[in-house]
Amino acid sequence: VLDSAAALKPARTLAVVGYQADAVKRALADSGCGFVLQKEQRGTGHAVLQAARAIGSAPGPLLILNGDVPALRAATLRKLVNTHERKAAALTILTADLDDPTGYGRVLRGARGNVERIVEQGDASAAERRVREINTGVYVADSAKLMRVLRKLKPDTDQGEYYITDAVHHLLGAGQPVAAVKHDDFSEVLGVNTRQELAEASLRLFRRRAEELQAAGVTILDRERTWIDPRAKVGRDTVIYPGVIVEGPCSIGTDCVIRPGCRIVDTKIGAGTEIKDYSVLFESRVAKNASVGPFAHLRPGSILEDGTKVGNFVELKKTRLGRGSKASHLAYLGDSTIAEDCNIGAGTITCNYDGTHKHPTELESGVFIGSDTQLVAPVKIGKGAYVAAGSTITKDV
C-alpha cells in the first residue's frame, strides 16, 4: 500500500497505528512514513482525526488508504486523485461492483448517478442489500472540510465508533459535492480480513508480477507455481522453472536459468548464471556465468565471482569464492576468502568455530584442496599450494 502511495510523490505519509503498534512500526521502519498513535480503535473517522494535528493545514488533497489492500495500484490512486481535483469535490470515494457484496457498505446513488449516501451492511434494507456497488474504504478528501465534519460527528453505533461514511452524509447535507470513482477490477480493491483472503491477495500480487515480467521478456514456465516478489527485478531472456520462490528486492540478471524448487531471498544474481534445482540462496551475491546447485545453500554474506561453480550439497556462509574457483560437491566453506582458480575437493570443511569464536580461512590463487580435507581456522593456504586428500591442516601452508 505504501509503495503504491509513494508513486504519487506525496508531500507526507502518515501511518495510523494502534493494535500491535510496535510491530507495525518495526515493519515500516524503512518506509519513510511518520506514525500517529490511535490508542483506542474507534473507527476510521476517529483514526483520521488522530492525524489531524500532524496534517495541520497542509495544502493539497488528503488520500486515505487502508493498510490491508495490498493489490491496490498506483494508477488507480492517481485516477482517484485526478477525478477528485477535476470535480472540485469535498470527498471522493473509490467504489467497485461485487457479485457478492456481503459485509461491505453499499453506495446508494440518485437518479442522476450522484452519490446520495453509504449504508453499512447491518443498517441496509433488503432492497439496499441487493445493491452491488460497494465502498472500498479508499478516499481522497479536502482535508480542512473533512476534518471540520469529523470533529462534529457523534458515534451512533453500539461500539461508540466514528466512521468516514458518516462524514459523507454530513458533507452532502451541507451541500458539499461528494464524488465516486467506480473501479472495474474489484479484485484490486478487496481488503484482507481472513487468512484465506490474505492468501488470495498474495496470489494476485504474484500473478500480476509474473504477467509484468512475461511482458518484459522473461520466460516463466508456470506462473501459477512461481512466486516472485513484486519488489524483485528479473532480466530479459531469463528462464524460471516451476516451484521457484523469489523473496524481497532480489535482482536476477539477463539470460539466467532458475531451475525448479529454488528459493532466492534478498540476493543479486548476475547475467548468464544458472541456479540448479532445489538450491537456497540468502542475502548473497552471485556474479556472471556462475553455476549454483543442485541442492546448494548460500547463507548470508556469500559472494560468488564470475565463472564460479558451487555444486551438489555445498554450503557457503560469509565466504567469497574467487573468479573461476569451484567447490563441486559436499563441502562446507564458512568465513572464508578463496581467491581465483581454486579447486575445493568433495568433503572439504573449513572448521571456523572453536566453540567460542569464529575464525577465518584464506586460500590464495590456484590452490588445490583434495577430498575430505579439514582446514582448521585461522589458517592460510598460499598461492598454488596442493593439499592431499584426507589432510587436516592446522598451520599456514
Side-chain angles (χ1 to χ4, degrees), residues 86 212 288 318 344:
R86 188 177 70 253
E212 293 169 350
K288 299 177 182 178
K318 203 175 179 182
I344 311 297

Side-chain angles (χ1 to χ4, degrees), residues 180-338:
V181 174
K182 185 186 289 189
H183 192 48
D184 56 8
D185 181 5
F186 69 87
S187 67
E188 181 185 328
V189 296
L190 295 182
V192 172
N193 300 293
T194 66
R195 298 299 174 101
Q196 180 182 353
E197 290 172 350
L198 176 63
E200 290 170 352
S202 297
L203 287 173
R204 281 196 295 272
L205 289 176
F206 291 136
R207 190 177 297 118
R208 179 191 298 173
R209 186 63 183 135
E211 291 170 353
E212 293 169 350
L213 291 172
Q214 287 173 320
V218 176
T219 298
I220 298 175
L221 298 180
D222 185 348
R223 73 182 188 193
E224 299 303 319
R225 291 193 291 149
T226 304
W227 297 353
I228 301 177
D229 195 300
R231 296 168 291 177
K233 298 178 180 179
V234 183
R236 189 174 185 85
D237 295 324
T238 283
V239 179
I240 299 179
Y241 279 72
V244 169
I245 300 175
V246 179
E247 300 178 43
C250 295
S251 174
I252 300 174
T254 58
D255 294 299
C256 293
V257 177
I258 314 296
R259 299 286 180 183
C262 292
R263 184 182 179 204
I264 301 169
V265 182
D266 296 339
T267 291
K268 183 176 182 179
I269 298 172
T273 286
E274 181 176 9
I275 310 298
K276 296 181 180 179
D277 311 54
Y278 300 101
S279 296
V280 178
L281 289 71
F282 268 85
E283 298 175 15
S284 297
R285 298 207 316 269
V286 181
K288 299 177 182 178
N289 303 312
S291 175
V292 177
F295 299 99
H297 187 186
L298 303 188
R299 289 166 57 189
S302 298
I303 300 172
L304 275 59
E305 297 183 2
D306 292 351
T308 51
K309 179 181 179 182
V310 171
N312 301 265
F313 302 103
V314 174
E315 179 181 0
L316 270 66
K317 185 243 92 169
K318 203 175 179 182
T319 288
R320 177 185 288 271
L321 196 61
R323 183 188 297 265
S325 291
K326 55 187 178 181
S328 296
H329 22 238
L330 301 164
Y332 170 69
L333 306 173
D335 298 291
S336 302
T337 302
I338 299 170

